[in-house]
Amino acid sequence: MEEKEVLVTNDPIISKYTPKSWFKSCLLGFLIGLAIIVPGISGSTISILFKLYDKLLYAISNIFKKFKVCVLFLLPILIGGILGIILGFFSVKKLLEIIPFAIVCLFAGLMCGSAPSVKDEIKGEKFNTLRIILLIIGIALPVCISVLSIQFQNNNANTFETVDWYQYPLCLIIGFIIAITQLIPGLSATAFLMSIGYFAKIMSIISFSAISSHPEYIGILACLGIGFIVGLFIISKIVTAIFKNHRSTAFFMILGFVIGSILTMFYNPDIYSTYILWTKGEGRLTLELSLGIPLFIVGFATAYFLVRYERSKKTLPN
């Protein structure tokens, strides 16, 4: 029996799921869920590797216009995403407490290895003044945010000691930006949160004990969630419009974001505190370096293998 398709001119074709494609979308959701928690994984880059990026953007931005079709497409991605967030939270949180630098090396390797998939989008494109400026802005923006965050960060503020009124609208904005990181290839939610010193804070309040002793944390999490949902809908529409008319030019800035995010993985308020411990003779310098270098290589090789595999599929005849 032929698959029933919903076809809109110049829009992606969203086909009825087969068991294989349903599992593929569920796996994509799982990896996107990990990307929200894990430093260095870009959910949108993964969706490009899975050849589902354009469909994902279309489904999110048109969810009210074509509710049934879009919801059925997004459902396995949502299920996988919830599982990925849960697994990522419990596993990565603990590992980052024990060997933060080594884990950052692993995910920086993943980002470096997946970067060629973003570069492929501008292969053969000519450089011009606008594209060079966008590339530089893409590199400079996360680096500047990270540097400024370290300058103004209180090294002891790894938790929400108090929840002031301004933190609620601030978390709405942070949730909105997290949505951007999930829709623009090469960006990492955790890399962004680390660059502004909020990764450890948010991780510290996601537990029953923390919420029971500080009910105001529910408001913080709600603001993050609302900002994230609103951001997904708005940014998906904006990115879809930009990509429809200026896809190649936009990817110059995205490539800059990738490079800048990789740099800030190793220079942000959360990892900077690890360096401070090293200068004091504390921490696990020898262990972290001995683990970090091979983990970086493993992460790079794994991600680059996926990129090469996807390239090989493109060259195969239909």
Side-chain angles (χ1 to χ4, degrees), residues 89-142:
F89 172 75
F90 286 108
S91 60
V92 175
K93 180 182 180 182
K94 191 63 178 178
L95 288 172
L96 285 172
E97 290 174 358
I98 300 171
I99 45 173
F101 181 80
I103 297 303
V104 165
C105 284
L106 171 62
F107 298 120
L110 286 169
M111 282 193 77
C112 289
S114 63
S117 69
V118 179
K119 187 175 180 294
D120 286 346
E121 294 287 339
I122 59 173
K123 187 176 182 180
E125 296 290 333
K126 294 182 179 179
F127 282 79
N128 57 36
T129 303
L130 174 61
R131 289 176 171 179
I132 292 173
I133 291 174
L134 289 175
L135 178 65
I136 294 172
I137 291 174
I139 297 172
L141 190 58

Side-chain angles (χ1 to χ4, degrees), residues 144-155:
C144 289
I145 291 174
S146 183
V147 171
L148 289 174
S149 297
I150 289 175
Q151 293 298 318
F152 294 104
Q153 174 72 12
N154 178 358
N155 289 329

Side-chain angles (χ1 to χ4, degrees), residues 178-198:
I178 291 173
I180 296 176
T181 66
Q182 296 310 298
L183 292 176
I184 297 182
L187 299 187
S188 165
T190 305
F192 161 70
L193 290 173
M194 283 183 167
S195 71
I196 62 172
Y198 261 72

Side-chain angles (χ1 to χ4, degrees), residues 136-297:
I136 294 172
I137 291 174
I139 297 172
L141 190 58
V143 172
C144 289
I145 291 174
S146 183
V147 171
L148 289 174
S149 297
I150 289 175
Q151 293 298 318
F152 294 104
Q153 174 72 12
N154 178 358
N155 289 329
N156 295 320
N158 289 326
T159 60
F160 286 95
E161 295 177 358
T162 59
V163 178
D164 298 313
W165 68 267
Y166 68 86
Q167 289 174 326
Y168 295 108
L170 179 61
C171 284
L172 281 171
I173 297 171
I174 290 174
F176 191 93
I177 296 175
I178 291 173
I180 296 176
T181 66
Q182 296 310 298
L183 292 176
I184 297 182
L187 299 187
S188 165
T190 305
F192 161 70
L193 290 173
M194 283 183 167
S195 71
I196 62 172
Y198 261 72
F199 180 70
K201 285 184 177 182
I202 292 173
M203 294 289 276
S204 70
I205 69 174
I206 307 177
S207 69
F208 290 113
S209 59
I211 292 174
S212 61
S213 58
H214 297 278
E216 63 272 21
Y217 289 168
I218 296 176
I220 294 291
L221 294 174
C223 288
L224 288 169
I226 293 170
F228 180 76
I229 293 171
V230 172
L232 281 180
F233 182 71
I234 294 176
I235 299 303
S236 63
K237 284 188 170 294
I238 294 173
V239 173
T240 299
I242 292 174
F243 279 11
K244 187 173 290 186
N245 301 306
H246 308 286
R247 185 181 182 90
S248 297
T249 299
F251 264 92
F252 277 86
M253 190 170 190
I254 289 170
L255 181 61
F257 280 137
V258 173
I259 297 170
S261 295
I262 292 170
L263 294 175
T264 58
M265 289 291 294
F266 294 99
Y267 191 75
N268 58 71
D270 285 343
I271 199 65
Y272 186 73
S273 61
T274 299
Y275 301 152
I276 296 297
L277 290 176
W278 289 356
T279 60
K280 296 178 180 179
E282 302 173 13
R284 303 176 175 86
L285 174 60
T286 303
L287 175 63
E288 296 238 49
L289 290 178
S290 61
L291 288 175
I293 295 173
L295 284 176
F296 179 90
I297 295 171

